[in-house]
Amino acid sequence: MELLRRGYSVTVGKVFDKEIDFVCEDQGKKLYVQVSYLLASEETIQREFGAFSSIRDNFPKYVVTMDELDLSRDGIKHLNIRDFLLAEEWN
C-alpha cells in the first residue's frame, strides 16, 4: 500500500522459476522488493536474495523483513520493514 501511495505502479514479477514479490515503477524509476517475515535460515536467505540473481539491470533491489540485523549482499539491500516504510525515498 505504501508503494501505491507514493505513486508507484506495482506488479508481481517472474524471472524463469523465481518470483519477485513487487516490481514497482514510477516515471522511469523502478525498484524490486522481496518481503519475508524473517531470514531465519540459510534456505530463506538464498530464496529471497536469489530471486534477484537473473535481473541484470541496476535498479534498486530490496529484501524487507522484521530482522534488525543488516544482511545486505551483492548490491541487494536488506532493510527492516520500519526503515523501509519510513524512508523518504528508495535508491
Side-chain angles (χ1 to χ4, degrees):
M1 292 305 298
E2 180 64 16
L3 294 160
L4 292 171
R5 187 187 73 76
R6 293 191 192 195
Y8 285 89
S9 64
V10 179
T11 59
V12 174
K14 190 151 175 93
V15 181
F16 302 109
D17 63 334
K18 297 184 176 153
E19 183 177 288
I20 307 297
D21 293 335
F22 303 106
V23 178
C24 314
E25 296 184 69
D26 179 35
Q27 298 178 358
K29 295 186 295 183
K30 184 186 285 190
L31 63 107
Y32 303 96
V33 182
Q34 282 292 100
V35 179
S36 181
Y37 175 58
L38 293 172
L39 298 177
S41 70
E42 188 60 33
E43 179 184 330
T44 304
I45 292 169
Q46 292 301 322
R47 181 184 67 235
E48 299 303 329
F49 283 89
F52 298 121
S53 63
S54 299
I55 300 174
R56 299 288 180 219
D57 63 30
N58 290 320
F59 290 109
K61 298 164 185 73
Y62 293 94
V63 173
V64 178
T65 69
M66 293 289 291
D67 293 294
E68 297 291 332
L69 212 65
D70 182 356
L71 298 174
S72 298
R73 57 182 66 187
D74 303 323
I76 302 166
K77 298 172 189 170
H78 174 231
L79 290 177
N80 178 276
I81 185 71
R82 288 183 308 269
D83 297 329
F84 181 79
L85 292 174
L86 293 173
E88 284 191 34
E89 62 181 42
W90 302 292
N91 51 15

